[in-house]
Amino acid sequence: MKKTLLVLMLVITSSFSNENKREIYKDASAPVKDRVEDLLRRMTLEEKVGQMNLFVGFEYLKTTKPWLTVEQLKNNSTNALYPGITIEDIAKWTEDGKIGSYLHVQTLKEANYLQSLVMKSILQIPIIFGIDAIHGNANAPDNTVYPTNIGLASSFDLDMAYKIARQTAKEMRAMNMHWTFNPNLEVARDPRWGRVGETFGEDPYLVSLMGVQTIKGYQGKLNSGNDVLACIKHFVGGSEPINGTNGAPADLSERTLREVFFPPFKAGVKVGTMSLMIAQNELNGIPCHSNEWLMQDILRKEWKFPGFVVSDWMDIEHMSDLHATADDIKEAFYQSIMAGMDMHMHGDHWNEYVVELVKDGRIPESRIDESVRRILEVKFRLGLFEQPFADENQSLKIRLCDEHRATALEAARNGIVLLKNNGVLPLSQDKYKKVLVTGINANDMNILGDWSVVQKEENVITILQGLKMIAPQTNFDFVDQGWDPRNMDQKKVDEAADKAKDADLNIVVAGEYMMRFRWESRTGGEDMDRSDIDLVGLQNELIKKVAASGKPTILILVNGRQLGVEWAAENLPAIVEAWEPGMYGGQAVAEIIYGKVNPSAKLPVTIPRSVGQLQMIYNHKPSQYFHPYVVKPSTPLYPFGFGLSYTTYKYNDLKLNKTKIGKNGNVKVSVRVANTGNRDGVEIVQLYIRDKFSCVTRPVKELKDFARVALKAGESKVVNFTVTLDKLAFYDKKMNWQVELGEFIVMVGASSDDSALLKQSFWVQ
Ligand code: BGC
């Protein structure tokens, strides 16, 4: 009997140690789930908690301001560093396998170096490198820089969104970067907020579709060396802060959240995004970073989100030093993890305090395991264990390759909106032989936009360079106004005004300044919120004085947020909104101005006249203008969906295949669109719907479909849409998602403005 027991015990022990020896997690052919479980059971608590932590890269750390005090750090969202901690300390933790992730690593050399440190650890769990690759991997040098999201959304081009994301993924992996903090899926309804440029605009439907294509492009199936992890952000409400400033409280009803702000995130989860960043703001009195309703009830239970949630930049800490809902950092970590947080961006104290919280019995280790599982799953799926390094020799063959450059140029062409043209555009080189060019954005790399580092000059075509390239017969006279809108020189403004008199035509390139390397001097981008939406500095004076020359003066805007350029809209013959058009922005602008390219983009936001008009959105409720403003207009400067072309389009024959449908039918809508001008073009045909009467108030119109239609001069095409029932559904009084019986108005046309729309009704019976 005793003998049998001994044999049995020996068998069990040896199979256990065999199992232990067989490192399933290193076996690429084993199922991901098994690899995760195998690895998890080998990890110490310290290693697990380390997987839940991010640090910034060493080179970035060196550029932060070591003289900042802890007190100053609290109010400084970018130049944070870790007081009392040296780079050597962080390197050692990496070697000990206690750091799972880095961000703000900007070179392949550094990424490979950090990865080599972690390869010295016992388990060799590769680092996942995150970066804000918002429009291409522009936040690192020598990458293709596409237009920012607002310009991309202006093209209404979903294929382009996919293509850019796919190319970005390849360029990222060529730099050993695996995780992009994009797409930003916030619905931007306040132009005071500086981050409008990194969003897809104000419409939940357009934001959702752009987001979905972007995620598909980044992630593919999340199983190859060319895929990167997307991170949908910031969840939620930060794009409608109570005073327009970044990080200020959001106070939004559940109805508004579910109707406006949730849909893009829900769509992002549905398409398979495996990471999500929580918003830094509080929502209805609870910081999002400790908001269990958002992280557990909505994300995990309702939407079944399988990925991991990451904090924003030291925002868990802000629950203690800003929101004051936790009396110290350790308590903040506790609250955040218990509410559903999986990863900490970024830094010190996390490892120490979270381990203590588990050892003290406040956080169960099983809760830590949940987060680590989610993170490890992504690392396995991305193939990091098999491919922890990237090849320096191959890297530059992929980044900035001709194909990617061509896409950047095409995207810029398709995203620039012609706002006004009394016929002066396209410019004739014969007529305008001498052209004055001036303004802060005329010859600056700022066209790259927010979230871009300075790129090599040879990889950027400024607007002045573009003009010279496209119109070589023209004599361009350039008066440099510097790059800094806050510190313009009166003498330079006067010099431009003088020279304007001698020119045949003037081009003023105005807007905002977004480049991050001059963080404090910017006027647009993250943390650059404004109490007005006018041009900063002497820019208005410059425009007016140049225009006073009596010579035609055209305005080109480079900016991320809407600008209320009312004077220019009334007095100048032409305005072009270039947004942040990226590395080939200058060429694309010039091609449009000189008619080599026919503009086609339309606004993904409403442009108000002034902040006094806010909130101004096209999909407002019926009573919004019950009593319009006195003295000044209640109409926008330019409506959502608006944009001109060098040709003209006519809409006719709006037809519905039926006017009555049951609760599971659909309506086919067709419209004839004719190019009635003498140039080929692309028209963005828009379909809106209004629920005529409903149990709760509904928007006056909502975008429900669109199509980019190429039309040769003189050509006409029938454009078809299908209105499915889900496009008619809304939350009723009891917050049930349902379609109500009754009349629905279909509106099809060239913009959200009523005068541009044909209308027909159908009934759900
Ligand atoms: C921003 C995030 C960004 C993060 C990392 C934060 O300040 O809010 O959008 O991803 O920094 O750069």
Side-chain angles (χ1 to χ4, degrees):
M1 181 65 188
K2 263 191 192 156
K3 210 173 157 190
T4 334
L5 197 66
L6 188 69
V7 171
L8 196 67
M9 275 171 66
L10 278 175
V11 170
I12 291 173
T13 331
S14 91
S15 69
F16 182 73
S17 58
N18 278 346
E19 180 67 8
N20 232 13
K21 259 188 237 144
R22 202 188 134 221
E23 293 175 313
I24 301 173
Y25 81 95
K26 288 194 174 159
D27 175 0
S29 65
V32 166
K33 206 165 168 295
D34 297 352
R35 298 180 80 184
V36 170
E37 292 309 321
D38 179 61
L39 180 51
L40 195 63
R41 83 190 154 77
R42 293 167 193 275
M43 293 170 77
T44 63
L45 176 61
E46 285 73 12
E47 285 164 340
K48 289 178 187 172
V49 172
Q51 286 300 310
M52 297 167 73
N53 203 9
L54 273 153
F55 272 83
V56 299
F58 299 167
E59 295 310 313
Y60 180 85
L61 252 190
K62 289 180 199 160
T63 66
T64 60
K65 295 176 179 161
W67 58 87
L68 284 182
T69 63
V70 177
E71 211 40 52
Q72 284 167 325
L73 271 174
K74 287 181 187 164
N75 303 319
N76 188 299
S77 56
T78 55
N79 289 319
L81 78 172
Y82 316 126
I85 296 214
T86 63
I87 285 178
E88 289 69 35
D89 293 332
I90 307 172
K92 175 78 175 62
W93 295 335
T94 312
E95 289 175 352
D96 289 347
K98 291 189 184 142
I99 295 179
S101 179
Y102 275 89
L103 80 157
H104 286 332
V105 171
Q106 285 163 332
T107 63
L108 169 56
K109 198 163 162 233
E110 189 182 0
N112 280 347
Y113 165 70
L114 291 169
Q115 202 69 284
S116 74
L117 294 183
V118 89
M119 288 304 142
K120 295 182 186 165
S121 67
I122 296 171
L123 294 171
Q124 301 182 316
I125 306 174
I127 287 162
I128 181 167
F129 290 101
I131 190 161
D132 292 274
I134 310 293
H135 49 124
N137 195 11
N139 219 16
D142 302 328
N143 287 305
T144 308
V145 185
Y146 306 88
T148 60
N149 289 341
I150 199 74
L152 178 54
S154 301
S155 71
F156 285 68
D157 188 342
L158 300 176
D159 296 339
M160 180 60 82
Y162 175 85
K163 196 163 154 187
I164 290 176
R166 192 86 292 257
Q167 294 180 357
T168 303
K170 287 185 189 155
E171 295 204 4
M172 284 178 66
R173 288 304 291 255
M175 287 192 83
N176 209 11
M177 312 211 162
H178 323 110
W179 178 24
T180 167
F181 303 132
N182 197 46
N184 183 327
L185 295 184
E186 292 178 279
V187 176
R189 311 211 298 179
D190 191 331
R192 292 174 300 178
W193 186 57
R195 305 190 75 163
V196 172
E198 65 183 274
T199 75
F200 296 113
E202 78 185 32
D203 180 68
Y205 180 74
L206 180 60
V207 175
S208 301
L209 294 191
M210 281 282 165
V212 163
Q213 290 309 310
T214 300
I215 294 160
K216 283 186 180 169
Y218 287 145
Q219 292 198 164
K221 293 199 167 74
L222 213 60
N223 65 355
S224 88
N226 277 333
D227 300 336
V228 296
L229 173 65
C231 181
I232 53 180
K233 72 183 188 186
H234 309 84
F235 195 56
V236 66
S239 53
E240 197 165 306
I242 50 168
N243 59 358
T245 65
N246 196 31
D251 209 320
L252 299 165
S253 69
E254 185 174 348
R255 178 173 300 284
T256 303
L257 286 170
R258 288 191 182 273
E259 285 176 356
V260 178
F261 293 95
F262 281 1
F265 287 93
K266 194 174 173 184
V269 169
K270 195 168 168 204
V271 77
T273 314
M274 288 297 283
S275 81
L276 172 143
M277 193 185 294
I278 283 289
Q280 49 186 186
N281 50 281
E282 63 160 84
L283 176 69
N284 303 335
I286 301 177
C288 293
H289 278 67
S290 59
N291 199 318
E292 198 177 332
W293 181 65
L294 287 179
M295 289 190 265
Q296 298 289 3
D297 298 344
I298 300 295
L299 261 182
R300 302 227 181 264
K301 293 188 189 138
E302 228 182 280
W303 299 348
K304 313 272 179 273
F305 175 58
F308 67 87
V309 175
V310 62
S311 85
D312 202 347
W313 187 275
M314 294 190 148
D315 280 298
I316 309 184
E317 284 82 344
H318 287 332
M319 283 159 49
S320 141
D321 61 40
L322 180 68
H323 301 293
T325 50
D327 48 18
D328 59 24
I329 293 180
K330 189 170 172 183
E331 180 61 21
F333 290 162
Y334 168 76
Q335 290 180 9
S336 192
I337 291 176
M338 293 315 281
M341 184 64 67
D342 298 307
M343 197 190 270
H344 170 235
M345 183 198 291
H346 54 97
D348 193 17
H349 298 306
W350 174 267
N351 293 39
E352 175 194 344
Y353 290 160
V354 178
V355 168
E356 276 175 25
L357 285 162
V358 176
K359 289 194 171 155
D360 293 348
R362 291 192 73 201
I363 299 181
E365 191 162 344
S366 56
R367 168 66 197 87
I368 300 295
D369 288 351
E370 276 174 23
S371 294
V372 179
R373 272 194 189 96
R374 292 172 187 139
I375 296 161
L376 291 180
E377 178 186 335
V378 167
K379 289 191 173 186
F380 283 116
R381 287 179 61 184
L382 284 167
L384 302 192
F385 287 78
E386 289 68 47
Q387 199 189 340
F389 299 99
D391 181 352
E392 304 219 15
N393 295 326
Q394 291 305 313
S395 189
L396 280 169
K397 292 185 189 148
I398 297 165
R399 293 151 60 200
L400 279 167
C401 66
D402 289 348
E403 187 197 347
H404 297 185
R405 287 171 186 265
T407 305
L409 176 59
E410 194 191 345
R413 288 169 176 157
N414 293 353
I416 294 169
V417 191
L418 179 59
L419 291 177
K420 182 174 179 190
N421 183 19
N422 74 354
V424 65
L425 299 182
L427 293 182
S428 144
Q429 289 196 69
D430 295 334
K431 189 164 172 195
Y432 304 113
K433 294 198 160 49
K434 191 168 180 209
V435 172
L436 171 77
V437 181
T438 191
I440 60 156
N441 284 320
N443 196 26
D444 198 273
M445 228 184 242
N446 186 35
I447 52 166
L448 295 175
D450 191 16
W451 293 112
S452 178
V453 295
V454 174
Q455 300 286 343
K456 288 201 181 98
E457 273 182 26
E458 71 249 33
N459 290 330
V460 183
I461 299 182
T462 68
I463 292 179
L464 182 64
Q465 288 166 344
L467 291 168
K468 288 181 175 167
M469 191 172 126
I470 300 300
Q473 290 116 281
T474 308
N475 171 8
F476 289 104
D477 189 6
F478 174 52
V479 179
D480 192 352
Q481 300 293 338
W483 56 269
D484 184 356
R486 288 195 185 93
N487 290 303
M488 291 173 70
D489 181 350
Q490 185 70 50
K491 282 196 227 94
K492 285 284 171 190
V493 171
D494 296 340
E495 183 187 332
D498 263 358
K499 292 202 166 156
K501 293 176 199 148
D502 297 334
D504 300 325
L505 177 128
N506 308 305
I507 299 176
V508 182
V509 192
E512 300 212 297
Y513 190 76
M514 286 81 62
M515 295 295 282
R516 289 186 163 238
F517 78 107
R518 293 185 177 127
W519 181 266
E520 319 257 302
S521 304
R522 304 179 312 145
T523 59
E526 185 186 2
D527 293 346
M528 297 297 135
D529 313 304
R530 308 243 337 250
S531 58
D532 69 47
I533 50 168
D534 212 339
L535 287 165
V536 172
L538 301 179
Q539 296 191 85
N540 271 324
E541 186 181 329
L542 175 69
I543 295 168
K544 286 180 186 169
K545 282 193 163 163
V546 166
S549 64
K551 304 295 171 55
T553 297
I554 64 174
L555 174 64
I556 298 166
L557 292 168
V558 175
N559 43 276
R561 68 150 65 75
Q562 304 95 307
L563 292 172
V565 287
E566 210 175 0
W567 187 89
E570 274 162 25
N571 295 284
L572 299 187
I575 304 179
V576 174
E577 176 54 84
W579 299 121
E580 301 165 292
M583 64 192 289
Y584 289 119
Q587 180 176 340
V589 164
E591 287 173 338
I592 285 179
I593 287 186
Y594 280 95
K596 300 252 183 298
V597 167
N598 189 2
S600 58
K602 308 253 186 169
L603 292 173
V605 281
T606 304
I607 303 188
R609 293 163 194 274
S610 66
V611 292
Q613 289 188 319
L614 302 182
Q615 178 186 70
M616 184 166 256
I617 46 173
Y618 86 91
N619 47 355
H620 58 76
K621 295 294 183 67
S623 58
Q624 181 104 338
Y625 299 104
F626 178 33
H627 300 299
Y629 298 114
V630 292
V631 185
K632 292 209 167 168
S634 300
T635 51
L637 193 55
Y638 295 104
F640 176 91
F642 174 81
L644 298 170
S645 157
Y646 294 145
T647 187
T648 46
Y649 301 102
K650 194 149 176 43
Y651 286 70
N652 270 312
D653 291 341
L654 175 63
K655 285 187 193 141
L656 312 186
N657 74 333
K658 38 184 125 116
T659 52
K660 295 189 175 88
I661 55 168
K663 273 223 160 181
N664 43 20
N666 61 44
V667 180
K668 303 240 186 284
V669 177
S670 67
V671 70
R672 179 168 288 280
V673 185
N675 181 342
T676 48
N678 51 16
R679 286 202 56 151
D680 300 352
V682 172
E683 169 69 336
I684 297 165
V685 181
Q686 301 155 49
L687 181 145
Y688 298 86
I689 288 191
R690 175 170 187 173
D691 189 342
K692 192 145 180 215
F693 296 102
S694 39
C695 63
V696 296
T697 60
R698 300 285 299 134
V700 291
K701 54 176 77 82
E702 290 178 297
L703 184 72
K704 292 294 179 184
D705 215 339
F706 56 83
R708 282 172 55 85
V709 184
L711 289 163
K712 298 222 172 307
E715 189 186 10
S716 81
K717 278 184 187 163
V718 173
V719 182
N720 296 301
F721 299 103
T722 303
V723 178
T724 46
L725 276 178
D726 57 302
K727 298 197 170 177
L728 312 177
F730 65 94
Y731 291 95
D732 68 10
K733 281 186 181 164
K734 295 194 171 142
M735 296 303 287
N736 293 317
W737 180 246
Q738 59 118 325
V739 178
E740 228 173 44
L741 303 183
E743 182 178 355
F744 291 84
I745 306 169
V746 177
M747 297 166 256
V748 181
S751 91
S752 68
D753 191 70
D754 273 336
S755 64
L757 294 165
L758 301 174
K759 299 180 184 177
Q760 291 280 350
S761 284
F762 69 90
W763 283 257
V764 177
Q765 293 192 324

